[in-house]
Amino acid sequence: MTPLVQIERFYGQKSQPLRNVPIYTPSIIAVTSGVKDLLWQGETLTFDSNHWLLASSAQALTFVNEPYQNKFQSIQLSFLSPPSKWVLKQPANLETSDLTVLSSPSLKVDDSLNFAFSQLIAMSAQGLSSAVQQCYLDAFYLQLNELGALSRLFEGELLSLREKVSRYLSAEPGANHTIENTCSHFAMSQATFMRHLSKEGTSFRVILAEVRMLFAIGTMQSRTARNVTPLSQLELAIRCGYQSEARFSQRFKTQFGISLKQYMKTIRD
């Protein structure tokens, strides 16, 4: 069955400063150990186990993950399916909502939200049909809507071309993707494809590089979670579609503002 949510876990033993981390899919980031300090509109917002970070697509986040007693841990729940139309038609219950959520990506959580969140994580491992998964999602979306928070995740009903391209490339980040093959996949001429991406403030090369850099972080984190021997920088570069370790390392630092070697050391000694 096709999963409608994606679960990623992130760990750190030392402070992790990262900038320009792209978000391609509406996501909730829940910190379970330590704190995440997010630079947001000139201010610093702190997220802990009592506050979720709500991130819509087409964002780039700059933050520092700070461990508590040498341990930082967070869960990113990404939503691959939007709310059903009937959910979007429901009015937000502004009388009981935290109005600051409309202008801030922070949502204070309670036991009911944590319970619903845990149910979505459990659901992702059950191999349920898409229809059943959507029912779970809509119930969660309805709960967010009652808090006035759903619009923070979903600012529009339709996927942008940037989102569509990123999802397509993310299926095989290390493959030999070309703009010609990608245009063919979307049944678009290269000129039209480039024009649409330009209107969204990006390009094919930028999206491909971002997807590969996110895949690099995900690969390192996944091997840490499974307690598997870390890859060498060259092995990681090749998995991400780069033949040059130096070029790969340079692109990583350009994207995130931290060298690949430095980031590896923040995950584990």
Side-chain angles (χ1 to χ4, degrees):
M1 297 297 177
T2 302
L4 299 188
V5 296
Q6 179 179 328
I7 311 295
E8 294 180 281
R9 289 176 168 81
F10 297 91
Y11 304 88
Q13 294 184 348
K14 298 178 182 178
S15 180
Q16 295 176 330
L18 291 169
R19 72 184 185 199
N20 299 325
V21 179
I23 301 294
Y24 286 119
T25 306
S27 303
I28 289 177
I29 299 173
V31 176
T32 57
S33 179
V35 298
K36 179 186 289 288
D37 290 325
L38 174 74
L39 181 62
W40 179 262
Q41 298 180 353
E43 300 181 11
T44 299
L45 303 180
T46 297
F47 297 85
D48 54 21
S49 58
N50 297 313
H51 296 84
W52 288 344
L53 168 56
L54 308 184
S56 63
S57 60
Q59 289 192 50
L61 304 180
T62 295
F63 54 83
V64 180
N65 295 331
E66 294 287 0
Y68 174 70
Q69 295 183 343
N70 298 320
K71 182 180 180 182
F72 173 86
Q73 186 170 340
S74 67
I75 301 174
Q76 181 168 335
L77 179 63
S78 300
F79 301 95
L80 306 180
S81 180
S84 297
K85 291 183 178 180
W86 71 269
V87 175
L88 295 173
K89 292 179 180 179
Q90 303 300 312
N93 188 354
L94 297 180
E95 293 184 1
T96 60
S97 69
D98 180 357
L99 295 179
T100 59
V101 77
L102 300 178
S103 58
S104 168
S106 179
L107 178 63
K108 187 174 182 179
V109 299
D110 55 21
D111 290 343
S112 62
L113 280 173
N114 279 322
F115 172 77
F117 191 81
S118 66
Q119 291 298 299
L120 290 183
I121 293 176
M123 177 199 75
S124 66
Q126 298 304 313
L128 303 175
S129 69
S130 295
V132 173
Q133 291 182 69
Q134 189 66 49
C135 288
Y136 275 87
L137 280 178
D138 283 338
F140 184 72
Y141 291 150
L142 189 60
Q143 193 170 4
L144 291 180
N145 192 57
E146 290 176 351
L147 297 171
L150 186 61
S151 60
R152 172 56 59 188
L153 284 178
F154 295 93
E155 299 178 349
E157 294 185 43
L158 300 178
L159 291 178
S160 66
L161 181 58
R162 176 182 181 271
E163 290 175 279
K164 293 178 182 178
V165 172
S166 68
R167 292 189 186 188
Y168 167 69
L169 299 176
S170 295
E172 292 185 88
N176 184 27
H177 294 291
T178 65
I179 191 170
E180 292 80 9
N181 290 341
T182 306
C183 289
S184 177
H185 174 80
F186 288 100
M188 300 173 69
S189 69
Q190 188 167 327
T192 300
F193 181 77
M194 293 172 63
R195 184 172 65 253
H196 280 297
L197 287 181
S198 179
K199 288 181 179 179
E200 296 178 13
T202 189
S203 68
F204 172 75
R205 290 183 63 185
V206 167
I207 295 175
L208 178 59
E210 289 178 345
V211 164
R212 286 175 168 173
M213 293 306 105
L214 287 176
F215 179 66
I217 284 183
T219 299
M220 287 185 280
Q221 289 284 350
S222 175
R223 295 182 75 85
T224 297
R226 292 180 287 121
N227 198 28
V228 177
T229 302
L231 299 173
S232 69
Q233 291 191 35
L234 179 58
E235 290 172 323
L236 186 60
I238 292 173
R239 290 200 181 193
C240 293
Y242 288 81
Q243 299 304 312
S244 167
E245 178 184 345
R247 184 181 176 190
F248 170 67
S249 298
Q250 181 182 28
R251 186 66 186 83
F252 189 94
K253 186 172 184 179
T254 298
Q255 178 68 46
F256 299 123
I258 184 174
S259 73
L260 180 62
K261 190 173 184 179
Q262 288 173 325
Y263 182 75
M264 286 179 169
K265 288 183 178 180
T266 70
I267 301 176
R268 57 182 171 185
D269 295 326

